[in-house]
């Protein structure tokens, strides 16, 4: 009765097989980047209940401008509710029913228009964005993975300048099977990427039998907190054209440039090259954006893939089926972002507050004798602790990091977790806490370094005797 | 100017996105000529979209009475900052708790769910993609009973490289999945050197609109255990069961009927898109009994988390047990009434449907209208239905059904008036077809003596010939000429 069953190839007691993807460690969570988070989770700082707890300075969140969003929603209840005609002029979505049913992967037109306009404002009108080239994804995490699936095959490589966001190791590699080959940058020129470094990385990939598919830049940079110079961007564009590869520009921090020089977005360069007659470059260029950093809304999962290639837009749109933005969230934000006066005021005020915060932490660290890379953007500073390493190695850096975490009780991110080739640098976030908490952190740093200086001076004196 | 860089990945360049399937052709016809009761009463009626529009008014009312469920209103604003900032892939605890309780409620309290096993995904679409990445390697396969939801080919296969292999089911036993068919499919895969990693079922079934019986579910759990293959149960339509027999979830079966089965193999996919009519909110759930899969899928949920704004809203609504109970009962009542109206309307003209008790559609039997029992004939009939009858229904072949002539017809995505227009069109079409067929049979019986076109009333006659489905099905047939 029934068909013959073929022999099993493993004993029934063995655990059921999962995939190679599932059993690999490529989810990246074994990195020190996440170990600090665990320490924080177990002993989180609270001004009253746990004043000696760990202060979280490893999370690049923007909490300085929530009041602006709350203020908007208070003044514009129609953005929040689903009342018939009051649901936002031109939103095209009149009611709860329509909104709840809307699952079109093109996304709400009103929301895409609002995003395009917001991206233009951030760039001071120096580039235009076509709403029909905006593909929505649930966060930049999904956007970056999506582009990787579309532009590269398993075993291919993306070149990424170091130091880079630790999450890329998971987002770009885990399920895609694509490799990251680092483009080494160092402090000699402020960590700017050079053509020589790009070429070296390209050759390294080639020698390892990996086909390079593209370069991924983060501009403004995470973890450096700097914008990429125009000349460097031009060089990168020339490089990708020469090598016949793609450029992904992750501009997730574009709205948080708070000091000169202004952001130069790759969008601006694509347009200026087109005006000079070179329109071929455009199809290589893809921009990633999100509202998680500029607007402090990481929970809402709003990511964007913006591509100048029709084929990439079409494919990305289809693939976004796996990771669409909630229509409820699209509706709420469409109203907010298409309010031009609000958007302008938000961008301006957010920048000012970030600048104040940035200047405050830089000054505090300087007083404690710690220099930082000169930054003009982002939610963090790139702190230079090279002089405080017991030895100029990754191990030395991790020892110092461990002391920062367990003695000083500050969770900061070691440069090695960002693949920085020079030991001793740390990313320190400043926008995810109150000013009072920031001052507590700075005071702890100060005390720690005072003791460190004293100890080292004593040791040196002892040696000299 | 397309330069070499247009060379995209194999995944991008292929057609794994699935949009070249006939499933979508009808949508294009609808998009170009959409029915509207007042503005375009002759347009195409969309009956190819399994959406639940029957009970959104109840949710809307709840939402208006509970402004505190929205963080954007003055009532919920105090939570705005915490929620907007919340991106933890564990999900809002209150959301998971409410979802776990609700999933138990939908199953009549016959199974309980642990909130810590609930993982989020970008809709059920994202859930299947994520599970495929967790459970199988490229080139490995799931077995799936036919007919099945066409987009599984995209959801399970496109990015993961997993294959879907059919387990053929037949109308002779109402498309019930048999052990013989399962074993045959499993052995066939093995003989071809394809490693089977899982069995994927949809219960209640799309497109059949039926539920799986306890015995079959137990058989599957046992088979999975014996062969160490995963059992993925898409229960997205669990809350749309509107008549007896009662829904039996795999969750219930593994606790009560087959408690010795290997629970590490059991995974449930769920979503609020169908039971509630919330496809826009992208609320997908993976529920796994396997700790390693929970850990892995939770990390992968970073690629498709549910908006915290939406989690918060749903946490409030789903935990209103009294409202949820009322909603489920009323929704079932409306779905039952709609189903009854539709199927009885079809019965009036002798069209039968598979006897269903769930889902947002009926599995309509038009085998009698095919001029031959082939997929081509089915597709020809389908094109007539789309372009002449102006109904976008979904042909069985797009669901990989092995028997031509079945069509899935969605009827929960429209109001009562539109339903009547659709029924009316179907009835007229069927009567016309029966009329043509009867005439043709009479002629055939009398022998074909007249083969030339009639001279009088030529234009009207040829119009009649063209508008007859028989004409399009077989334009060269002498029966067309005889129809005048």
């Amino acid at each position: 009765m029934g068909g013959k069953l073929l022999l099993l190839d493993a004993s029934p007691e063995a655990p059921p097989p999962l995939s190679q993807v599932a059993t690999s460690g490529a989810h990246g969570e074994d990195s020190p980047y996440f170990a600090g988070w665990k320490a924080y989770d177990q002993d989180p700082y609270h001004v009253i209940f746990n004043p000696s707890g760990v202060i979280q300075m490893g999370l690049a969140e923007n909490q300085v401008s929530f009041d602006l969003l709350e203020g908007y929603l208070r003044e514009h209840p129609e953005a929040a509710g689903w009342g018939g005609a009051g649901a936002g002029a031109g939103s095209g979505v009149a009611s709860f029913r329509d909104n709840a049913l809307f699952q079109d992967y093109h996304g709400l037109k009103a929301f895409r228009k609002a995003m395009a306009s917001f991206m233009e404002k951030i760039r001071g009108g120096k580039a235009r964005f076509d709403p029909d080239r905006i593909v929505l994804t649930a966060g930049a995490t999904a956007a970056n993975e999506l582009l990787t699936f579309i532009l590269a095959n398993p075993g291919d490589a993306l070149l990424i300048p170091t130091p880079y966001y630790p999450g890329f190791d998971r987002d770009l590699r885990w399920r895609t099977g694509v490799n990251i080959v680092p483009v080494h940058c160092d402090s000699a020129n402020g960590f700017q990427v050079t053509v020589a470094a790009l070429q070296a990385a390209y050759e390294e990939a080639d020698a390892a039998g990996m086909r390079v598919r593209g370069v991924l830049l983060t501009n403004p940079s995470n973890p450096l907190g700097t914008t990429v110079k125009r000349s460097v961007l031009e060089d990168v564009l020339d490089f990708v054209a020469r090598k016949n590869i793609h450029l992904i520009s992750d501009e997730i921090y574009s709205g948080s440039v708070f000091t000169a020089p202004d952001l130069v977005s790759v969008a601006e360069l694509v347009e200026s090259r087109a005006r000079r007659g070179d329109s071929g470059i455009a199809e290589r260029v893809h921009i990633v954006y999100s509202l998680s950093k500029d607007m402090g809304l990481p929970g809402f999962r709003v990511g964007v893939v913006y591509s100048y290639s029709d084929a990439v837009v079409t494919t990305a749109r289809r693939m976004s089926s796996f990771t669409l933005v909630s229509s409820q969230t699209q509706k709420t934000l469409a109203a907010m972002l298409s309010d031009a006066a609000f958007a302008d005021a938000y961008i301006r005020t957010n920048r000012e507050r970030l600048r104040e915060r940035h200047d405050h932490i830089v000054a505090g660290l300087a007083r404690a004798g710690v220099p930082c890379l000169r930054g003009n953007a982002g939610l963090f500073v790139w702190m230079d602790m090279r002089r405080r390493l017991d030895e100029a190695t990754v191990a030395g850096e991790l020892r110092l990091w461990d002391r920062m975490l367990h003695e000083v009780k500050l969770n900061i991110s070691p440069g090695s977790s960002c693949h920085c080739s020079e030991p001793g640098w740390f990313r320190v976030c400043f926008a995810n806490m109150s000013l009072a908490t920031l001052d507590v952190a700075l005071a702890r740093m100060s005390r720690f370094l005072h003791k460190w200086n004293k100890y080292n001076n004593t040791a040196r004196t002892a040696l000299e005797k | 100017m397309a330069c070499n860089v247009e060379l995209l990945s194999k995944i991008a360049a292929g057609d794994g996105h699935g949009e070249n399937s006939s499933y979508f052709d009808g949508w294009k016809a609808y998009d170009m000529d959409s029915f509207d009761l007042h503005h375009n009463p002759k347009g195409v009626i969309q009956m190819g979209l399994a959406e639940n529009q029957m009970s959104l008014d109840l949710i809307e009312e709840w939402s208006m009475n509970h402004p505190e469920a929205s963080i954007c209103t003055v009532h919920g604003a105090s939570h705005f900052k915490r929620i907007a900032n919340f991106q933890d892939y564990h999900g809002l605890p209150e959301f998971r708790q409410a979802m776990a309780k609700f999933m138990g409620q939908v199953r009549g309290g016959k199974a309980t769910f642990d909130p810590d096993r609930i993982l989020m995904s970008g809709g059920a679409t994202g859930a299947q993609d994520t599970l495929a990445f967790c459970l199988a390697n490229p080139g490995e396969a799931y077995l799936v009973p036919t007919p099945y939801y066409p987009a599984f080919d995209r959801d399970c296969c496109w990015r993961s490289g997993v294959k879907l292999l059919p387990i053929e089911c037949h109308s002779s036993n109402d498309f019930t999945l048999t052990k013989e068919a399962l074993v045959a499919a499993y052995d066939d895969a093995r003989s071809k050197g394809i490693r089977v990693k899982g069995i994927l079922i949809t219960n209640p079934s799309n497109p059949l609109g039926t539920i799986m019986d306890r015995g079959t579910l137990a058989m599957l759990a046992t088979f999975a255990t014996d062969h160490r293959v995963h059992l993925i149960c898409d229960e997205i339509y669990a809350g749309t069961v509107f008549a007896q027999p009662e829904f039996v979830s795999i969750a219930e079966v593994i606790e009560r009927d087959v408690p010795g089965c290997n629970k590490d193999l059991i995974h449930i996919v769920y979503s609020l898109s169908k039971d509630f009519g919330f496809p826009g909110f992208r609320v997908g759930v993976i529920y796994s009994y396997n700790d390693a899969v929970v850990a892995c899928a939770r990390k992968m949920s970073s690629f498709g988390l549910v908006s915290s704004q939406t989690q918060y809203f749903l946490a409030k609504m789903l935990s209103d047990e009294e409202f949820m109970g009322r909603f489920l009962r009323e929704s079932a009542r409306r779905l039952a009434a709609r189903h009854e109206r539709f199927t009885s309307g079809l019965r009036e003209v002798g069209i039968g449907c598979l006897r269903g008790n769930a889902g947002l559609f009926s599995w309509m039997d038009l085998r009698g209208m095919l001029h031959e029992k082939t997929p081509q004939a089915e597709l020809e009939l389908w094109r007539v239905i789309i372009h002449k009858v102006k109904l976008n229904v979904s042909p069985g072949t797009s669901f990989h059904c092995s028997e031509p002539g079945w069509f899935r017809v969605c009827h929960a995505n429209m109001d009562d008036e539109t339903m009547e227009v659709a029924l009316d069109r179907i009835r007229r079409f069927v009567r016309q077809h029966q009329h043509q067929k009867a005439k043709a049979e009479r002629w055939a019986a009398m022998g074909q003596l007249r083969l030339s076109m009639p001279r009088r009333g030529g234009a009207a006659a040829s119009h009649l010939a063209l508008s007859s489905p028989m004409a399009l099905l077989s334009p060269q047939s002498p029966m067309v000429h005889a129809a005048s």
Side-chain angles (χ1 to χ4, degrees), chain A residues 28 45 47 61 73 84 92 103 137 156 164 189 200 240 243 325 340 415 417 420:
Chain A
Y45 171 82
V47 62
E61 270 178 6
L73 292 168
Q103 60 171 327
T137 62
D156 289 348
Y164 64 77
N189 70 344
V240 303
K243 300 294 191 191
V325 177
S417 68
C420 186

Side-chain angles (χ1 to χ4, degrees), chain A residues 4 19 29 105 149 283, chain B residues 1 9 19 89 133 187 310:
Chain A
K4 273 221 182 92
S19 65
E29 287 193 14
Y105 60 27
F149 271 120
E283 285 180 327
Chain B
M1 186 217 297
S9 67
E19 289 189 15
Y89 60 26
F133 276 117
D187 287 349
T310 302

Side-chain angles (χ1 to χ4, degrees), chain B residues 187-259:
Chain B
D187 287 349
D188 187 56
R190 294 293 297 262
S191 72
K192 293 179 171 133
I194 301 174
R195 181 143 183 217
V196 174
K197 268 301 194 36
I199 303 166
L200 170 63
I201 61 166
T202 306
N203 176 33
S205 164
N206 175 12
L208 301 175
T210 54
I211 59 165
M212 216 172 246
D213 64 270
R214 192 179 292 274
T216 305
L217 287 167
M219 181 277 288
L220 284 165
T222 304
F223 185 94
T225 301
D226 291 344
H227 297 272
R228 270 173 77 244
V229 296
H230 295 277
L231 180 59
I232 303 119
C233 304
D234 188 338
E235 298 193 346
I236 195 175
Y237 290 99
T240 65
V241 179
F242 53 79
Q244 290 293 322
E246 244 177 32
F247 176 60
V248 179
S249 164
I250 192 69
E252 196 191 325
V253 167
I254 65 175
E255 278 173 37
R256 298 180 191 203
D257 300 85
V258 200

Side-chain angles (χ1 to χ4, degrees), chain A residues 4 7 15 17 19-20 29 61 80 100 102 105 149-150 153 244 283-284 299 318 323 326-329 332, chain B residues 1 4-5 9-10 19 72 84-86 89 133-134 136-137 187 190 228 230 280 299 303 307-310:
Chain A
K4 273 221 182 92
L7 286 174
S19 65
Q20 276 149 19
E29 287 193 14
E61 270 178 6
F102 186 85
Y105 60 27
F149 271 120
I150 290 173
N153 293 316
N244 195 17
E283 285 180 327
R284 307 179 181 285
R318 288 176 172 151
T323 182
S326 169
S327 53
Q328 179 190 23
T329 300
T332 301
Chain B
M1 186 217 297
N4 287 347
V5 80
S9 67
K10 295 189 186 105
E19 289 189 15
C72 301
N85 210 44
F86 186 88
Y89 60 26
F133 276 117
C134 288
N137 296 316
D187 287 349
R190 294 293 297 262
R228 270 173 77 244
H230 295 277
K299 294 179 172 93
F303 298 110
S307 167
S308 53
Q309 175 191 24
T310 302

Side-chain angles (χ1 to χ4, degrees), chain A residues 1-23 27 29 37 59-63 66 69-70 73-74 76-77 79-83 95-103 105 138 141-142 145-146 148-154 170-172 174-176 211 213 240 244-246 277-280 283-284 292-293 296-301 309-312 315 318-330 332 336, chain B residues 1-13 17 19-20 49 51-57 59-60 63-64 69-74 77-78 80-87 89 121-123 125-126 129-130 132-138 140 154-156 158-159 179-180 183-184 186-187 190-191 195 197 223 225-228 230 262 264-265 267 273-274 277-282 290 292-293 296-297 299-300 302-311 313:
Chain A
M1 86 168 221
K4 273 221 182 92
L5 296 181
L6 303 181
L7 286 174
L8 301 177
D9 60 358
S11 84
E13 282 76 41
L18 301 187
S19 65
Q20 276 149 19
V21 164
T23 47
H27 50 73
E29 287 193 14
W37 290 34
L59 192 51
E61 270 178 6
N62 180 358
Q63 297 193 23
F66 268 119
L69 304 175
E70 286 162 340
L73 292 168
R74 255 195 323 271
H76 298 86
W82 277 296
S95 66
F96 180 95
R97 158 188 292 263
D98 289 345
N99 185 247
L101 289 170
F102 186 85
Q103 60 171 327
Y105 60 27
T141 300
E145 191 197 39
L146 210 92
T148 306
F149 271 120
I150 290 173
L151 301 177
N153 293 316
R170 173 196 65 186
D171 299 351
L172 307 178
W174 189 18
R175 306 192 302 182
T176 62
R211 183 164 170 191
R213 290 292 203 160
V240 303
N244 195 17
I245 59 179
H246 296 275
D278 171 17
S279 49
E283 285 180 327
R284 307 179 181 285
S292 299
K293 309 296 179 183
L297 300 172
F300 284 10
R301 313 315 300 149
S309 155
D310 290 347
V312 172
T315 307
R318 288 176 172 151
M319 211 180 267
S320 70
S321 298
F322 298 117
T323 182
L324 297 175
V325 177
S326 169
S327 53
Q328 179 190 23
T329 300
Q330 290 187 52
T332 301
M336 197 188 281
Chain B
M1 186 217 297
C3 45
N4 287 347
V5 80
E6 279 286 84
L7 192 63
L8 304 181
S9 67
K10 295 189 186 105
I11 284 176
H17 52 74
E19 289 189 15
N20 296 337
L49 188 52
E51 261 181 10
N52 184 355
Q53 296 191 22
M54 306 294 297
S55 304
L56 280 165
D57 56 311
I59 311 283
E60 210 157 1
S63 158
M64 290 205 299
S70 166
I71 53 172
C72 301
T73 61
V74 76
S78 59
F80 180 85
K81 183 171 168 167
R82 171 179 78 94
I83 298 299
N85 210 44
F86 186 88
Q87 60 174 326
Y89 60 26
S121 59
T125 302
D129 172 67
T130 292
F133 276 117
C134 288
L135 304 180
N137 296 316
E140 295 179 343
R154 171 195 65 189
D155 299 351
C156 304
W158 189 16
R159 304 199 297 187
K179 185 166 182 186
E180 288 71 31
V183 168
Y186 182 82
D187 287 349
R190 294 293 297 262
S191 72
R195 181 143 183 217
K197 268 301 194 36
F223 185 94
T225 301
D226 291 344
H227 297 272
R228 270 173 77 244
H230 295 277
N262 186 349
D264 277 343
L265 298 167
H267 321 279
S273 299
K274 308 297 179 183
F278 283 167
F281 290 2
R282 313 315 302 153
N290 181 321
V293 172
C296 184
K299 294 179 172 93
M300 287 186 182
S302 299
F303 298 110
L305 294 172
V306 176
S307 167
S308 53
Q309 175 191 24
T310 302
Q311 289 186 54
F313 175 79

